[in-house]
Amino acid sequence: MSEHTVIPETRPSTPPQPAAEGTEGRGPKLLAPFAIRDFRLLWTAMTVSLLGDGIYMVALAWEVYRLSNTPTALSVVSVAWSLPMVLCLLAGGVLSDRFDRRKVMITADVLRGVAIAGMGVLSVTGAIELWHIVVLAIVYGVGQALFGPAFGAIVPDIVPPGQLIQANSVDSFARPFGERLAGPAIGGFLIGGLAGGEAGPAFLIDAATFAFSAVILTMIRTRPRHDLGERGSAFADVAEGFRFVRAHTWLWGTLLSASLTLLFVIGPFQVLLPYLIKNKLGGGAGDIGLVYAAGGVGAICGAIFMGRRPLPRRHITFMYVGWGGGMLLLMPYAWITEVWQAMALEFGAWALFTTGLVVWMTLMHTRVPSELLGRVTSLDWLVSIGLIPVSFALTGPVSEAIGVEMVFIASGILGAAATFGFLLLPGIRDTEKGTSASA
């Protein structure tokens, strides 16, 4: 396929079915989307930025626990990042449908790069305090709110429908490779090996990756967006996205399921896992990086598995089983005694999560009209992660009250229940019966 091939702006109002004809046995290979110039650029920018994010994950946890060695401290920082992201997501979705999605992503990269650079400078100079990280995390969260909907909506503008599952599998390969494999491993080596336990240089390297990403994104050919300003206000645009989501059980049911699930599991994953490695297992920054890296390897394996086959016919069931199985793997963290055991659990959980994520991304890209995709993606983020600030806020105090081990057990049980329970919702699996997306 020519590198100039793009999805026309006048896509039909009824998107194609996710299991595109002709994909079984003779569909495009995993790397087929790389024949498209703009996809190569988008993938390069994303991969380098995610590499920095992986470094940042280790640096942030290490710096916060250096300043205050309690789960509550990282909970506060996580709330400061996630709350403004949740509050600004709808605006990010409207902007990504009204304006050039490429420019929205560049703006987001600039905001996030400035925030992380601020952390790096303060850390290197020895002036950093916990409140500095909280303030800069707020700026970072606003940038995330702009980037997520724009990135989720631009992929179908670039990649044809028949290659979307391959594009999403490649995305799901690059994301864990940078964010959970190479990035954390580099971050742990930088902090523990080269910087003598200091996180400042790692923050600065992450900031540089955002600058690189912004430059690469400028090279993507601009695509004019529909001028939605003539059709009504931003509130009307948001309402249109809400109506589409409400009309499709597979959409609103999965979003509500994800919202409850993340309430139960995201806090332990993000806040308690580094604490567990540092305080119970006696590990350092390098060990935190290795555990995250193991999750990255698992996610990469899941992405490769999905990229080599068509979308499952029972795609909703497949997606929920993968997610629910990953939730159950939270429970054994309560009993581990070695770092390698945490690595094994991370590998399994992220392999399962990623198989479901590839299905979800492909359903979004094939069953949501292009002119609504930015807003629906922002609603996806808003509803599914809306309770994340609550999860972060509760994780620290609850773990101090009942113990870190009990939190992992409870979160695994409750997360799996919230996932499998919604699979019984009437109409949630109608797409498996061939129901039209516009039905």
Side-chain angles (χ1 to χ4, degrees):
M1 175 173 292
S2 168
E3 65 181 16
H4 304 295
T5 302
V6 298
I7 299 296
E9 286 300 316
T10 54
R11 293 175 70 193
S13 59
T14 302
Q17 296 297 313
E21 292 81 5
T23 59
E24 297 186 26
R26 60 182 186 275
K29 302 300 182 182
L30 177 62
L31 301 182
F34 283 101
I36 304 168
R37 173 186 178 274
D38 282 353
F39 181 80
R40 294 197 302 269
L41 292 171
L42 181 67
W43 186 88
T44 300
M46 174 191 69
T47 301
V48 172
S49 177
L50 288 170
L51 186 70
D53 285 347
I55 296 172
Y56 169 73
M57 286 173 60
V58 178
L60 181 67
W62 194 254
E63 187 77 334
V64 170
Y65 282 135
R66 184 185 68 83
L67 294 171
S68 178
N69 192 30
T70 63
T72 301
L74 190 54
S75 290
V76 170
V77 172
S78 299
V79 170
W81 154 70
S82 58
L83 185 59
M85 181 175 65
V86 169
L87 295 177
C88 296
L89 273 172
L90 291 181
V94 171
L95 290 173
S96 68
D97 280 344
R98 282 178 177 262
F99 301 107
D100 181 355
R101 289 162 177 163
R102 177 184 62 96
K103 293 180 179 179
V104 175
M105 294 165 65
I106 293 170
T107 302
D109 274 345
V110 171
L111 282 174
R112 294 183 296 175
V114 168
I116 303 303
M119 293 184 192
V121 170
L122 289 169
S123 181
V124 168
T125 58
I128 196 165
E129 297 180 17
L130 193 60
W131 72 267
H132 293 141
I133 298 178
V134 170
V135 172
L136 292 170
I138 292 173
V139 178
Y140 184 87
V142 173
Q144 287 284 85
L146 294 177
F147 189 88
F151 180 84
I154 201 173
V155 173
D157 288 345
I158 295 173
V159 179
Q163 294 183 4
L164 280 174
I165 191 167
Q166 282 72 31
N168 290 328
S169 295
V170 168
D171 172 276
S172 296
F173 177 98
R175 194 169 299 277
F177 175 81
E179 196 171 28
R180 303 198 67 86
L181 175 57
I186 294 172
F189 175 73
L190 285 172
I191 298 170
L194 296 182
E198 299 295 328
F203 285 129
L204 293 176
I205 291 174
D206 183 27
T209 66
F210 282 117
F212 178 88
S213 174
V215 171
I216 295 297
L217 289 173
T218 63
M219 301 168 63
I220 294 178
R221 293 185 176 91
T222 303
R223 287 169 174 77
R225 306 304 312 143
H226 297 284
D227 184 7
L228 301 183
E230 298 179 0
R231 293 172 49 187
S233 66
F235 291 105
D237 293 343
V238 172
E240 186 178 11
F242 266 113
R243 286 194 295 271
F244 185 88
V245 171
R246 188 177 59 186
H248 299 85
T249 306
W250 70 270
L251 261 174
W252 65 259
T254 302
L255 296 187
L256 289 179
S257 171
S259 181
L260 287 175
T261 299
L262 290 174
L263 169 66
F264 298 132
V265 306
I266 194 65
F269 258 129
Q270 296 289 97
V271 175
L272 295 184
L273 184 55
Y275 180 85
L276 185 74
I277 296 168
K278 181 177 185 293
N279 292 278
K280 180 180 177 180
L281 305 183
D287 294 303
I288 295 175
L290 285 174
V291 173
Y292 285 148
V297 174
I300 288 169
C301 291
I304 293 174
F305 173 81
M306 293 301 298
R308 298 177 64 86
R309 51 191 33 80
L311 198 69
R313 291 194 179 278
R314 296 195 175 277
H315 39 269
I316 298 292
T317 304
F318 181 91
M319 180 173 71
Y320 274 72
V321 169
W323 287 343
M327 302 304 166
L328 289 174
L329 288 181
L330 268 174
M331 297 174 61
Y333 281 109
W335 304 294
I336 63 174
T337 56
E338 302 289 342
V339 170
W340 71 264
Q341 295 168 338
M343 294 173 64
L345 291 173
E346 281 284 285
F347 176 91
W350 282 97
L352 291 169
F353 290 154
T354 302
T355 58
L357 182 61
V358 171
V359 172
W360 175 251
M361 293 166 64
T362 305
L363 288 173
M364 289 282 286
H365 289 160
T366 56
R367 290 183 173 267
V368 179
S370 177
E371 64 272 14
L372 284 170
L373 191 52
R375 282 163 287 169
V376 173
T377 301
S378 70
L379 288 169
D380 172 11
W381 279 57
L382 176 65
V383 178
S384 60
I385 72 171
L387 295 178
I388 281 182
V390 180
S391 180
F392 285 142
L394 292 176
T395 296
V398 171
S399 65
E400 292 175 5
I402 68 174
V404 171
E405 293 81 1
M406 284 302 301
V407 171
F408 276 113
I409 294 173
S411 62
I413 294 172
L414 293 173
T419 303
F420 291 128
F422 271 82
L423 192 55
L424 304 177
L425 185 70
I428 193 74
R429 289 180 281 184
D430 280 352
T431 59
E432 297 178 352
K433 304 172 184 176
T435 304
S436 169
S438 60

